[in-house]
Amino acid sequence: MKKNKLALITGSTAGIGFAIAEKIATKGFDVIINGRTEERVNKAINQLIEKGIGKNQLHGVAADLSTLEGINKVIELFPEVDVLVTTSGSLNRKTSLVLQTKTGKKCGPQTSCLAQDCHGTISL
């Protein structure tokens, strides 16, 4: 059985992050919904299911990515993703989530990139 690619969309419980998560899920990706609270993450997942997205495509992680604790939680739960879209509004450069692709390209909030083949690493 073919495994879907996995996309991490930060700040995806509302607004543009939610819209991006919905669009990527409709293209057949598994999607990690991220927000700061479990309540918001669960609400977003339920809304996507109501819109016809398969429950098995959706994963959730409540983590504040402006904190090192939140970053470590995401990396621990999802050490590898295929696509990273950063939409969360953190300007904290000391703890921003930065992933590194297999080719060594770093991508995260300060680089404004959509990366493929990311591995979970952080730069502080």
Side-chain angles (χ1 to χ4, degrees):
M1 182 165 89
K2 185 179 174 188
K3 185 178 174 185
N4 290 346
K5 290 196 180 247
L6 181 62
L8 168 60
I9 318 299
T10 69
S12 52
T13 58
I16 193 162
F18 181 85
I20 292 169
E22 180 182 4
K23 186 67 169 181
I24 288 176
T26 64
K27 298 295 182 185
F29 285 78
D30 283 0
V31 177
I32 304 164
I33 302 299
N34 164 250
R36 285 181 274 169
T37 68
E38 201 72 43
E39 178 183 359
R40 288 180 61 112
V41 169
N42 290 335
K43 181 179 178 184
I45 288 173
N46 288 331
Q47 288 174 326
L48 289 168
I49 291 168
E50 288 172 8
K51 290 176 173 254
I53 305 299
K55 185 177 182 178
N56 61 336
Q57 282 183 261
L58 302 170
H59 312 275
V61 58
D64 182 348
L65 298 181
S66 69
T67 69
L68 189 55
E69 179 183 1
I71 292 168
N72 286 335
K73 181 178 181 181
V74 171
I75 291 171
E76 182 179 314
L77 292 172
F78 303 100
E80 292 188 33
V81 299
D82 298 297
V83 176
L84 167 68
V85 180
T86 58
T87 69
S88 53
S90 172
L91 295 176
N92 186 345
R93 292 177 188 235
K94 290 186 179 180
T95 58
S96 291
L97 177 65
V98 176
L99 298 182
Q100 186 169 330
T101 67
K102 291 178 182 175
T103 60
K105 181 178 178 184
K106 290 186 178 182
C107 47
Q110 310 310 321
T111 59
S112 301
C113 72
L114 178 65
Q116 293 188 4
D117 300 321
C118 291
H119 285 262
T121 60
I122 58 170
S123 295
L124 300 175

